[in-house]
C-alpha cells in the first residue's frame, strides 16, 4: 500500500463542495479506475454519485460484515459509533 495525493486540478473544485478529506477521497476515486469510496457525509455522497463514483458508508460496511458472518448484529456497532460522536 502506498500513500497517494490527489491531483490538484481534480481536488480544488471538489474542495468548494465538500470538506477537504471528502474532497481528497473523491478526487482519488476519480483517478483510480473501479474504485469505491467510503463516505458517510450526505453532501459528499451526492457529489460522488453525480460523478459516477461507487460509494459505501459505514453502515454498508457493517452490513457486508454481517452478511459475511464477521459480526452477529449491527446495532451494537452503530451504538458504539454514536457513543463516540459519529453520526451515520
Amino acid at each position: 500500500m502506498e500513500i497517494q495525493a490527489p491531483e490538484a486540478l481534480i481536488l480544488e473544485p471538489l474542495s468548494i463542495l465538500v470538506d477537504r478529506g471528502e474532497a481528497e477521497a473523491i478526487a482519488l476515486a476519480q483517478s483510480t479506475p473501479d474504485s469505491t469510496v467510503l463516505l458517510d457525509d450526505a453532501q459528499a455522497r451526492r457529489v460522488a454519485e453525480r460523478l459516477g463514483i461507487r460509494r459505501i458508508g459505514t453502515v454498508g460496511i457493517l452490513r457486508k460484515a454481517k452478511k459475511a458472518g464477521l459480526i452477529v448484529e449491527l446495532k451494537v456497532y452503530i451504538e458504539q459509533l454514536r457513543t463516540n460522536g459519529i453520526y451515520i
Side-chain angles (χ1 to χ4, degrees):
M1 179 184 289
E2 71 181 69
I3 297 173
Q4 295 181 329
E7 295 179 35
L9 289 174
I10 298 173
L11 177 61
E12 294 311 317
L14 292 170
S15 296
I16 295 168
L17 301 171
V18 296
D19 288 339
R20 184 78 178 189
E22 283 98 359
E24 289 182 1
I26 293 168
L28 285 171
Q30 272 189 290
S31 59
T32 307
D34 299 320
S35 62
T36 300
V37 66
L38 172 62
L39 296 167
D40 286 319
D41 179 76
Q43 174 66 15
R45 291 175 67 85
R46 284 191 293 274
V47 169
E49 181 179 19
R50 279 189 237 130
L51 295 170
I53 297 169
R54 283 191 313 248
R55 65 231 171 273
I56 191 167
T58 302
V59 173
I61 298 272
L62 291 171
R63 284 183 181 147
K64 285 183 179 250
K66 182 178 180 191
K67 187 175 180 179
L70 299 172
I71 61 175
V72 177
E73 66 176 63
L74 302 178
K75 187 177 179 180
V76 66
Y77 294 99
I78 292 171
E79 287 174 1
Q80 284 179 343
L81 288 166
R82 288 184 178 150
T83 298
N84 288 297
I86 307 296
Y87 298 95
I88 48 177

